[in-house]
Amino acid sequence: MKGSRPYVFCGLVTGFVGVSFIVPEMLLGAAGIILLIVLGQAWLHIAAALRAKRTPERPNVPDSYQPFVSIHLVYANEPANVVIRSLQRLAKLDYINYEVVVFHNNAPETDDVQLVRRYCQYRPDLFTFAHRDHIPGSKAGALEWSRRLMSPHTELIAIIDADYQVRPDFLRECTPYFFDPQVALVQTPQDYIDAGTQNVGLALEFRSFFAVAMQDAQTAGAVTFTGTMGLLRAELFTDRRLAWNTGCITEDTELGIRINQLGYRGVYINQSFGMGMLPLDYTSLRVQRQRWSYGNMQVLLGHLWAIITAPRLNRTQRISFLVQLTAWLRAELIIALCWILAGLIQVVHPKLIVVQATFIVLGVALASSFGARAIYMVVGMGKHTARLSRRWRAFVSHAGLMGIMSTSWLRCLAGLPLHFKVTNKNAAERDATNKGYIPELVLPGLLAVGLALQAMAGPIAIWQLVVVGTIIVLGIVGIWYVHHQFMANEDLLAGDALAIADEAFLATREEDGLQR
């Protein structure tokens, strides 16, 4: 049945389109459902943006409390200089009781891999290196293998991506929260190396999730896991028989949801303890965002009912989980497709009131979706995160990715598989032309086609023209802006990015209100 899901989905869509020409009221009903979902998402995100945020207090614990931490760094096809620089940082942590498990998987054991292996052999007391081919479940499978290699004394597991430059005080500042036996995970922001003002909009767009959704989760007591720069209580994998879900490509978030359902508590510390590399080109950026959107939809499909009904969760927690899981899900594509269908129906059946009503409903949905996201990013990130002009650049960058975010969750819903693809960190393999922006132009094009079809059969209301036209323009400007940020960063190669990270650790950068 699972393999036939795409065919069933395709059949349902085809049938819906055909019946809509005969019974246009069906399209109006579908538009109404879309509007309700969009309004629900808008309410969730606006509430999260406006809600007061609460910062956790660092607990006072005995100086002797220093649980053994096993740091897991799993990777595939990463350049040796990127991985080794990360390991050099991990070797300098201001903490005594820890180890680092380095696991390379599902890629050939190249010269780069041998360099990393050799580096780890210099410190056998700290590093454990392993390589395995054909590990099922991509990163989740690799994390499961890493657990088999960790010390039997492990009390906490820390997850670090291979490109992250970690601050020396990471473990020292984060482990005290686990003194409370109810705390099972601690998450810190995923921060990114940028080249000053050249790609600050994109860097802030990434940070918006942590500045709004995760801070709101801390206030609501619904902190989930986002992977790198986070820690987990190791006993959950043994006593509670938890395991990484190899069937979900956002295995970190899925695990965090299950931990909360068990009645444990998570803590979000709104302080950056490490920086990784932004994607090097538009194609890599789209691949990464596709994975996030698709994976979050997987988690929603698998856990929505449990989130709604779990007795251990209160209403505020349920709302916060929905905010986190829908952060990268956009409705513009399905609205655009319905707009085109309504336009075709109007050409065949001109002056139908039900079709005019459909256009109104779709227009309100489109305005609500975009307006809520503007409030979420521009207002929710707050003046303490960055000044208004930079928050606006973050929103424009977000608009430049609405095509892939609108598509990915529909692909998951249709049952079309998506295999885990590692975000490229190799500067030599980046797309220098950045032609990954071309697929993003499809969505503004579809909205324009829908508007043109509506105009063919009758007049367009001014407000509809303004709403759709504004979103088309913002989408195109956003695509150009993201493309421009990558083209302006031709010198931001892997080695240069790591040098920038080194400089950033020597001094805290707060220039122009951008806090680290």
Side-chain angles (χ1 to χ4, degrees):
M1 179 63 186
K2 187 175 181 180
S4 63
R5 187 167 143 195
Y7 301 102
V8 173
F9 184 85
C10 184
L12 290 174
V13 171
T14 303
F16 172 79
V17 171
V19 173
S20 294
F21 279 93
I22 303 171
V23 186
E25 289 81 4
M26 182 173 287
L27 180 59
L28 177 60
I33 294 173
I34 293 170
L35 175 60
L36 290 176
I37 294 173
V38 167
L39 289 176
Q41 184 187 30
W43 174 77
L44 290 172
H45 289 180
I46 291 174
L50 300 180
R51 192 178 294 125
K53 307 300 187 292
R54 184 176 63 196
T55 302
E57 294 183 5
R58 188 181 187 277
N60 293 320
V61 301
D63 294 337
S64 60
Y65 180 73
Q66 194 169 98
F68 189 88
V69 181
S70 182
I71 299 174
H72 294 179
L73 186 154
V74 303
Y75 76 104
N77 285 327
E78 304 279 7
N81 68 320
V82 171
V83 180
I84 291 174
R85 290 292 286 274
S86 297
L87 296 179
Q88 288 173 334
R89 284 291 177 189
L90 292 176
K92 297 177 181 178
L93 294 181
D94 183 14
Y95 199 81
I96 298 173
N97 211 18
Y98 76 103
E99 67 175 4
V100 181
V101 176
V102 183
F103 190 84
H104 181 261
N105 69 100
N106 292 349
E109 195 164 354
T110 60
D111 290 342
D112 269 11
V113 178
Q114 289 295 332
L115 287 172
V116 175
R117 181 193 291 272
R118 196 175 311 155
Y119 177 82
C120 292
Q121 290 171 347
Y122 292 143
R123 289 287 308 273
D125 59 314
L126 179 61
F127 296 114
T128 298
F129 182 90
H131 167 83
R132 293 288 186 279
D133 288 323
H134 310 301
I135 298 295
S138 300
K139 186 175 181 179
L143 288 170
E144 273 296 298
W145 266 92
S146 297
R147 286 205 302 113
R148 304 180 190 181
L149 301 172
M150 69 185 186
S151 167
H153 305 295
T154 299
E155 297 172 76
L156 304 176
I157 298 172
I159 308 298
I160 304 295
D161 279 356
D163 60 308
Y164 263 73
Q165 309 297 295
V166 181
R167 271 176 35 179
D169 59 344
F170 171 53
L171 296 183
R172 177 166 51 82
E173 291 296 321
C174 294
T175 53
Y177 293 92
F178 288 96
F179 192 72
D180 181 351
Q182 284 302 111
V183 173
L185 70 89
V186 169
Q187 183 64 57
T188 68
Q190 294 177 14
D191 205 354
Y192 294 90
I193 304 160
D194 62 67
T197 60
Q198 289 177 328
N199 59 1
V200 67
L202 193 57
L204 277 175
E205 195 272 345
F206 273 74
R207 200 179 307 168
S208 65
F209 175 79
F210 292 94
V212 182
M214 288 300 287
Q215 284 204 69
D216 180 67
Q218 170 59 33
T219 302
V223 176
T224 188
F225 197 57
T226 62
T228 189
M229 299 308 299
L231 296 96
L232 300 163
R233 192 177 289 278
E235 68 181 41
L236 293 181
F237 291 93
T238 53
D239 295 350
R240 293 287 181 172
R241 302 182 184 278
L242 286 180
W244 296 100
N245 186 345
T246 57
C248 181
I249 61 174
T250 49
E251 72 294 323
D252 41 22
T253 301
E254 197 274 342
L255 183 73
I257 294 290
R258 285 189 284 139
I259 288 174
N260 278 271
Q261 289 171 354
L262 289 174
Y264 285 93
R265 188 165 64 88
V267 173
Y268 172 68
I269 307 170
N270 190 37
Q271 181 179 352
S272 175
F273 290 100
M275 289 186 290
M277 295 169 58
L278 283 168
L280 296 176
D281 54 60
Y282 216 130
T283 300
S284 298
L285 176 62
R286 293 185 78 253
V287 165
Q288 184 185 66
R289 192 56 56 90
Q290 180 185 48
R291 185 173 72 242
W292 292 355
S293 302
Y294 187 100
N296 279 7
M297 191 63 190
Q298 279 185 311
V299 179
L300 267 177
L301 292 176
H303 292 276
L304 179 59
W305 181 247
I307 290 172
I308 294 173
T309 61
R312 290 191 175 97
L313 302 179
N314 58 43
R315 184 181 65 177
T316 306
Q317 289 173 311
R318 294 186 180 104
I319 291 173
S320 180
F321 284 133
L322 292 176
V323 170
Q324 295 171 71
L325 293 175
T326 60
W328 308 116
L329 306 186
R330 303 302 305 265
E332 280 76 15
L333 177 63
I334 195 169
I335 293 173
L337 293 175
C338 288
W339 201 291
I340 290 175
L341 180 57
L344 292 172
I345 293 173
Q346 189 179 41
V347 170
V348 177
H349 305 290
K351 298 182 179 180
L352 275 180
I353 295 178
V354 67
V355 176
Q356 295 300 320
T358 301
F359 283 129
I360 293 173
V361 172
L362 292 174
V364 172
L366 203 56
S368 301
S369 178
F370 234 73
R373 182 54 56 167
I375 294 173
Y376 177 87
M377 300 192 71
V378 178
V379 178
M381 292 182 72
K383 64 180 181 180
H384 298 295
T385 302
R387 63 189 187 190
L388 181 60
S389 63
R390 290 191 165 184
R391 281 177 274 155
W392 176 252
R393 291 186 208 176
F395 172 65
V396 174
S397 297
H398 188 80
L401 287 165
M402 65 178 177
I404 192 63
M405 291 185 290
S406 295
T407 306
S408 302
W409 68 271
L410 278 173
R411 177 173 178 166
C412 179
L413 198 63
L416 297 173
L418 179 68
H419 301 292
F420 191 100
K421 294 181 180 179
V422 177
T423 305
N424 176 38
K425 300 297 191 315
N426 191 339
E429 296 178 1
R430 79 193 192 286
D431 178 11
T433 61
N434 282 296
K435 291 184 178 178
Y437 71 88
I438 294 176
E440 290 294 322
L441 292 169
V442 172
L443 181 56
L446 289 175
L447 287 170
V449 169
L451 206 61
L453 287 171
Q454 184 183 0
M456 287 174 59
I460 303 174
I462 296 298
W463 72 270
Q464 290 176 323
L465 186 62
V466 170
V467 167
V468 182
T470 299
I471 293 173
I472 291 173
V473 171
L474 270 174
I476 294 174
V477 170
I479 293 165
W480 171 85
Y481 180 55
V482 174
H483 176 68
H484 172 73
Q485 290 178 85
F486 282 120
M487 297 304 290
N489 276 333
E490 283 298 301
D491 295 330
L492 188 62
L493 306 182
D496 297 322
L498 296 173
I500 292 170
D502 280 343
E503 295 173 4
F505 280 114
L506 295 176
T508 301
R509 298 192 307 171
E510 297 182 353
E511 55 195 46
D512 296 325
L514 183 59
Q515 296 182 351
R516 287 283 181 198

